[in-house]
Amino acid sequence: MLAIYKRELQSYFTSITGYLVMAAMLLFISIYYVIINLTYGYATFAAPLYSIQFIFIIIIPILTMRSIAEDRKNKTDQLLLTSPVSVSSIVLGKYLSMVSVFGLVCLISCIFPFLLKNMGSTQMAGSCSMLLAFFLFGCAAIAIGLFISSLTENQILACVGCVGVLLALDLIENVPFELPDFIKNLSLSSHLDNFYNEIFDITAIIFYLSVTAVFLFLTAQSIEKRRWGRSGALRHGSYSVLSICLSIALAVVINMAGSALPSSLTKIDISSNKVYTLSKQSKEILKDLEQDITIYALFENNKEDDTLLNLLNRYEEQSDHIKVKVVDPVKNPTFTSQYNADELSAGSVIVEGKQRYKTISDSEIYEISASAYYSGSSEQNFDGEGEITSAIDYVTAKTLPVLYYTTGHDETTLSATAQTALTKSNYELKSLSLLSENSVPKDCSILMVLAPQADFSSDEADMIIKYLENGGKALFLTSYTADKLTQFDRILDNYGMKTSNGIIFEGDSNSYYQSPITILPQYGTHSITTDLAASNVPTLITQAAGLEFTDVRSSVTRTALLTTSDSAYEKIPSGGQFSTSKKESGDRSGQFNLGVLAEETVSDEKNTKLIVFSTPYLVDESLVSQYNISNVDLLANSIGYMCEHTSSVTIDAKSMSIETITPNAASVQLQTLVFVILLPAGLLITGIVIWLRRRKL
């Protein structure tokens, strides 16, 4: 075999064929590298390799067309067949020589990920795994080309036949009619998808290796048939058919066995932000499942989202109670109507349990990040796990906490980001007009009063006080206003709190952001703030009053959740304005409370909890959408503590934005010159020179 390998490999480098093929391969790889990586700034080399696979379907047949067809045409195959070399050695020698040529191209291409790394951050694991998959893709295509070359003595026919077969295998998954999954899985290029999506797919490696082995075996059988000719046609023909059937069956069994293994073993998540890995919270919720859940993924045929489906497979494997079904909304146009979701688009998900169901739109799964919305960029976050785990928690929950927010007093509006976070944690939000009620509704888990500008009536205040004194829970935001809110203040005073007369400024430059009025408060010692303090992500409080303690019954305990530094001071505006932001004589100074928890044990089963934050902008959209702050988490923690909603889902969305690089013009020009022009031209010129010398021209 070694002698044949050396002979075949030498033939590629003593003729123009090897140099021409290598030059063409490197030329196209380099062009796509320059366009995708250097021009558009993509920081992963997986992108150009994934894009160039179609071109290689045409180039690889040029490499394989002469491998056996030329021997048959020149009758040199008879010398090989009568030599003391086994057919398998002949096949492997020829095959490995072509793999070496292709492998040399892949080896040279290994320089590109390192060049990208030197120009900025890049996903090396994804790039390297894609290189491996691309090499195996080429190996399988070469084995197919070798087999087709063994069927004819016409090189052109071998090339065209190989292109046809590879093209058919490439397009088979996108045919406009329904095909069984096992036929669609014969597509060579589709098995690169997971590698492109940063999943190391062991089943794809098994597929490429099995395709390679089967076609090498078929090639050997084709040569064996020619060796024995008509003399042993019946005996060897029967043996050949049987062995071919057995080899194909073995390959099918091996691939089926690989596919039957859990995807957690065969599809390894190598993405930098672990898009396909379930968090600890998701695993705990799935572990405690006691009822069956069906997850319907809405996808049109051949338009499935691999990222979402890979994630859903992890859910299905994690729990026997989870079943995932793909529904084509085009073929089943009335399917979503039973869920009152006629307008759900393809890419959406429906999670159904015994008690209730929840729909998740594609825009909720793939969301534009808030910072990108304001900057005008297209950064996208994948919130598949957060939304699906939240939906599972929702459909299996026995009861859902209901959050009422008062209306009719010019209250601030709960921001979209805050509403999304609370809904995702399976809280139900309802508005409440106390003027039309005799009391706070009995199903109220938490009453939210969001910075009213107008005062409550006496009856409204009495209803709130009665609700709290009966073990109710409430969250208040206060707002500085020139008008006296007597009834609102009466509610606070009943739990030993009142707001200061002015606005708090921070005197310590380490404790504010850009302006003394925008405070980075200190966290108090409580379970609400423990994880926030540990995360080192600050809370941002702006235009806040101070919260002062007043005399109250001994049964009420008060805990500061947010405070200023000792250098803070209070300023009272005149006509709604401040003459200066600097501290002046007469300004009260010291440490001020900006968030306070008041608790009172009413009975063995009832415990009143009231949390007050002295700013209307705690979760204002302009703050939480532009800055990396923990304000929404603070709100969620506060509500979760009060209503003891321990299963609330707090899984962050994962960025799907591709890392970018910004190479300088000189670097782009140099690399374009070297890889697009000099290297392919050098190989081509070398091949031409060698070809001319051999012809003695």
Side-chain angles (χ1 to χ4, degrees):
M1 184 191 78
L2 184 60
I4 294 175
Y5 167 74
K6 291 180 178 180
R7 169 183 172 272
E8 292 293 325
L9 186 62
Q10 185 179 17
S11 70
Y12 282 110
F13 291 102
T14 55
S15 67
I16 196 173
T17 304
Y19 295 99
L20 176 63
V21 169
M22 288 182 61
M25 289 181 176
L26 285 173
L27 174 64
F28 283 108
I29 290 176
S30 300
I31 288 174
Y32 275 73
Y33 165 74
V34 170
I35 294 174
I36 295 175
N37 295 124
L38 301 186
T39 304
Y40 290 104
Y42 280 65
T44 172
F45 188 57
L49 288 179
Y50 186 77
S51 302
I52 206 172
Q53 56 186 286
F54 184 80
I55 296 175
F56 271 57
I57 289 176
I58 300 173
I59 297 178
I60 286 177
I62 299 174
L63 177 66
T64 63
M65 66 182 185
R66 61 178 289 272
S67 54
I68 298 178
E70 186 179 42
D71 286 336
R72 291 186 61 176
K73 181 180 179 181
N74 298 330
K75 308 302 181 182
T76 54
D77 60 328
Q78 298 299 325
L79 295 175
L80 287 174
L81 295 176
T82 55
S83 64
V85 181
S86 65
V87 171
S88 60
S89 296
I90 296 172
V91 172
L92 286 177
K94 288 178 172 291
Y95 173 74
L96 291 177
S97 66
M98 291 183 287
V99 167
S100 297
V101 175
F102 178 70
L104 186 58
V105 173
C106 293
L107 186 63
I108 295 173
S109 300
C110 288
I111 193 175
F112 293 122
F114 292 96
L115 291 174
L116 292 174
K117 187 176 182 180
N118 288 334
M119 290 183 283
S121 177
T122 185
Q123 227 292 16
M124 288 296 292
S127 297
C128 293
S129 64
M130 187 64 179
L131 266 167
L132 172 62
F134 188 75
F135 172 71
L136 294 176
F137 163 82
C139 290
I142 290 171
I144 294 172
L146 181 64
F147 168 67
I148 295 174
S149 180
S150 71
L151 301 177
T152 179
E153 61 182 31
N154 189 312
Q155 296 184 38
I156 301 300
L157 188 59
C159 179
V160 173
C162 184
V163 170
V165 171
L166 293 179
L167 189 60
L169 291 177
D170 183 69
L171 300 177
I172 196 170
E173 65 168 344
N174 294 316
V175 293
F177 48 87
E178 193 71 29
L179 285 175
D181 288 340
F182 78 92
I183 294 181
K184 287 185 177 181
N185 286 336
L186 293 176
S187 170
L188 289 180
S189 58
S190 66
H191 291 272
L192 294 175
D193 293 347
N194 281 334
F195 290 94
Y196 177 70
N197 292 321
E198 298 184 323
I199 297 176
F200 190 84
D201 190 354
I202 295 176
T203 58
I205 293 177
I206 294 174
F207 171 78
Y208 285 132
L209 293 177
S210 61
V211 168
T212 301
V214 166
F215 277 94
L216 289 179
F217 183 77
L218 291 176
T219 304
Q221 292 304 306
S222 175
I223 295 175
E224 284 281 8
K225 181 181 178 182
R226 182 168 175 78
R227 163 184 273 187
W228 293 104
R230 295 182 179 180
S231 60
L234 180 60
R235 181 168 60 88
H236 291 283
S238 300
Y239 169 78
S240 178
V241 170
L242 178 62
S243 58
I244 288 172
C245 291
L246 289 175
S247 65
I248 294 175
L250 179 61
V252 170
V253 170
I254 292 174
N255 279 272
M256 290 178 63
S259 299
L261 294 173
S263 61
S264 57
L265 299 177
T266 60
K267 294 179 174 59
I268 303 169
D269 186 359
I270 57 174
S271 60
S272 56
N273 51 4
K274 299 300 178 185
V275 173
Y276 313 99
T277 302
L278 295 182
S279 65
K280 181 180 179 181
Q281 186 176 24
S282 291
K283 291 179 180 179
E284 289 176 350
I285 290 175
L286 295 174
K287 182 181 178 181
D288 296 333
L289 272 183
E290 296 179 353
Q291 62 174 273
D292 292 338
I293 304 294
T294 303
I295 302 177
Y296 298 100
L298 306 182
F299 292 115
E300 294 181 34
N301 186 36
N302 295 329
K303 294 183 179 179
E304 294 85 358
D305 177 5
D306 292 333
T307 301
L308 182 56
L309 285 181
N310 277 317
L311 180 66
L312 290 176
N313 287 337
R314 301 299 170 100
Y315 280 91
E316 196 169 27
E317 292 173 356
Q318 193 69 33
S319 173
D320 294 334
H321 291 286
I322 299 289
K323 298 298 178 186
V324 176
K325 296 182 179 180
V326 177
V327 177
D328 189 337
V330 175
K331 295 182 178 180
N332 301 276
T334 61
F335 177 78
T336 57
S337 61
Q338 60 185 305
Y339 301 99
N340 297 319
D342 295 328
E343 297 183 359
L344 274 183
S345 60
S348 301
V349 171
I350 300 172
V351 180
E352 183 178 23
K354 290 183 178 180
Q355 297 173 288
R356 58 183 76 89
Y357 64 86
K358 187 173 185 180
T359 61
I360 308 170
S361 67
D362 59 331
S363 60
E364 292 173 309
I365 295 173
Y366 288 97
E367 58 182 27
I368 302 298
S369 71
S371 58
Y373 175 81
Y374 280 89
S375 65
S377 65
S378 58
E379 183 178 346
Q380 193 178 59
N381 292 332
F382 179 68
D383 198 20
E385 184 190 2
E387 291 291 347
I388 294 167
T389 299
S390 172
I392 292 172
D393 186 47
Y394 170 80
V395 302
T396 57
K398 295 180 180 179
T399 59
L400 298 174
V402 181
L403 311 182
Y404 280 93
Y405 55 91
T406 62
T407 61
H409 312 90
D410 292 333
E411 289 93 341
T412 189
T413 303
L414 197 62
S415 68
T417 300
Q419 289 188 48
T420 299
L422 294 176
T423 302
K424 187 175 174 180
S425 295
N426 294 326
Y427 295 106
E428 187 176 357
L429 295 170
K430 292 184 179 180
S431 63
L432 173 63
S433 175
L434 290 171
L435 289 174
S436 60
E437 302 287 342
N438 295 323
S439 63
V440 175
K442 292 183 179 180
D443 65 340
C444 179
S445 301
I446 293 181
L447 178 67
M448 296 193 295
V449 181
L450 305 176
Q453 295 293 308
D455 201 7
F456 290 91
S457 68
S458 177
D459 289 341
E460 289 176 309
D462 288 340
M463 280 188 269
I464 295 175
I465 291 174
K466 182 179 179 181
Y467 164 74
L468 289 171
E469 289 181 342
N470 196 37
K473 279 78 177 171
L475 184 140
F476 286 9
L477 300 183
T478 70
S479 176
Y480 177 82
T481 175
D483 298 328
K484 185 69 174 175
L485 304 181
T486 305
Q487 298 301 325
F488 180 74
D489 291 342
R490 181 162 68 91
I491 302 171
L492 293 180
D493 184 61
N494 195 51
Y495 290 91
M497 287 179 280
K498 73 173 184 177
T499 57
S500 60
N501 295 325
I503 302 296
I504 305 303
F505 286 69
E506 180 56 73
D508 183 354
S509 60
N510 293 319
S511 298
Y512 67 78
Y513 175 72
Q514 293 184 343
S515 168
I517 203 172
T518 306
I519 303 169
L520 301 172
Q522 301 172 6
Y523 292 117
T525 304
H526 195 274
S527 61
I528 293 175
T529 57
T530 299
D531 62 327
L532 304 180
S535 69
N536 293 321
V537 179
T539 294
L540 200 61
I541 301 296
T542 185
Q543 299 184 39
L547 287 172
E548 301 176 15
F549 291 163
T550 60
D551 293 336
V552 72
R553 53 198 175 279
S554 60
S555 58
V556 176
T557 60
R558 293 157 297 183
T559 304
L561 300 177
L562 301 177
T563 63
T564 67
S565 73
D566 293 332
S567 302
Y569 51 93
E570 178 193 47
K571 298 188 73 65
I572 300 175
S574 176
Q577 296 182 344
F578 299 101
S579 58
T580 178
S581 62
K582 296 181 179 179
K583 182 180 178 183
E584 299 175 295
S585 60
D587 292 339
R588 285 198 309 145
S589 61
Q591 188 178 65
F592 294 87
N593 297 318
L594 304 178
V596 173
L597 163 67
E599 297 180 276
E600 183 178 22
T601 301
V602 178
S603 66
D604 292 341
E605 298 179 354
K606 295 181 180 180
N607 185 24
T608 299
K609 296 177 183 178
L610 170 63
I611 293 179
V612 182
F613 294 107
S614 59
T615 173
Y617 304 109
L618 179 69
V619 287
D620 185 79
E621 193 68 38
S622 63
L623 288 179
V624 299
S625 62
Q626 294 188 63
Y627 303 107
N628 181 27
I629 54 179
S630 61
N631 292 39
V632 174
D633 292 330
L634 175 62
L635 176 70
N637 285 5
S638 299
I639 292 175
Y641 171 76
M642 287 193 289
C643 69
E644 299 177 353
H645 186 44
T646 55
S647 64
S648 60
V649 177
T650 55
I651 300 172
D652 294 331
K654 299 172 182 179
S655 175
M656 293 294 289
S657 60
I658 299 176
E659 294 179 348
T660 58
I661 57 172
T662 53
N664 56 60
S667 177
V668 173
Q669 292 172 1
L670 177 61
Q671 292 189 53
T672 301
L673 176 65
V674 172
F675 295 113
V676 176
I677 299 175
L678 296 182
L679 185 57
L683 286 170
L684 188 58
I685 292 171
T686 301
I688 293 173
V689 170
I690 291 174
W691 178 72
L692 291 174
R693 283 183 176 178
R694 285 180 59 83
R695 287 180 169 267
K696 298 180 180 180
L697 296 176

